[in-house]
Amino acid sequence: EPEVTQTPSHQVTQMGQEVILRCVPISNHLYFYWYRQILGQKVEFLVSFYNNEISEKSEIFDDQFSVERPDGSNFTLKIRSTKLEDSAMYFCASSTTNTQYFGPGTRLTVL
Amino acid sequence: AQSVTQLDSHVSVSEGTPVLLRCNYSSSYSPSLFWYVQHPNKGLQLLLKYTSAATLVKGINGFEAEFKKSETSFHLTKPSAHMSDAAEYFCVVSDQTGANNLFFGTGTRLTVIP
């Protein structure tokens, strides 16, 4: 059964550094998403992406964040200058209809 | 605006007894509702979804949920808990826009006592 994959599973970085989180959505899906879950808190929507552009973004998704689909398979989330409060689990999801399928997540730790 | 409220942050049941995880929703229009499960150190797995078809929805692992518009509820149930059901459960509503962004509840941690 096809699934969403994410790499790396765990990323440790220093505050102020740039990180890129990678996702490979399910191949025939058209919508792509990033969510995050700060430890002990609920899952929060960050951004949705369709037809090579951002469909919608939350207040969390400020100028420090960007998304890209550099080729036909990958979907990336870039954080330009990480802050301590960016430490969280980041989930990628994809969908064709209104059902989203999630990857296993990348745990980002900012020191 | 769409939102969900999960009424219990933690539910504890004995193995073999019924499970009830409560969820109420708020939506400007007919919602799409989901339950996702997150096992420790794992990703989010779709349990079941309601998208305006049958109000009683059956999902994986013996779970089901009933959409009750009059009560704005979408409670998750299972007749008999198994140890493997211990996890965090999220009630989720879709915003029904083109991208169908999801809005999560705060989660209910289910503990199953042997």
Side-chain angles (χ1 to χ4, degrees), chain B residues 41-87:
Chain B
N41 301 313
K42 300 285 187 183
L44 295 158
Q45 181 183 20
L46 178 67
L47 268 182
L48 50 79
K49 64 178 179 180
Y50 166 78
T51 54
S52 75
T55 56
L56 181 62
V57 182
K58 294 188 185 299
I60 62 171
N61 301 335
F63 284 94
E64 60 183 40
E66 187 171 7
F67 174 74
K68 291 186 176 180
K69 186 175 181 179
S70 60
E71 299 176 10
T72 62
S73 69
F74 189 58
H75 302 333
L76 181 71
T77 60
K78 182 174 180 177
S80 176
H82 192 272
M83 294 299 296
S84 61
D85 295 328

Side-chain angles (χ1 to χ4, degrees), chain A residues 31 33 35 37 41-45 47-49 55-56 89 91 95 97-105 107, chain B residues 32 34 36 38 41-44 46 49 51 90 94-107:
Chain A
Y31 292 90
Y33 311 82
Y35 294 82
Q37 183 182 31
Q41 299 184 24
K42 68 178 179 180
V43 178
E44 301 171 289
F45 167 73
V47 65
S48 56
F49 191 86
S55 299
E56 194 169 340
M89 181 74 91
F91 292 105
S95 73
T97 59
N98 63 354
T99 302
Q100 294 182 27
Y101 294 89
F102 285 78
R107 181 167 297 283
Chain B
S32 289
F34 309 81
Y36 282 84
Q38 184 180 32
N41 301 313
K42 300 285 187 183
L44 295 158
L46 178 67
K49 64 178 179 180
T51 54
F90 294 96
S94 166
D95 71 0
Q96 299 279 60
T97 64
N100 290 306
N101 305 322
L102 299 182
F103 296 90
F104 283 70
T106 50

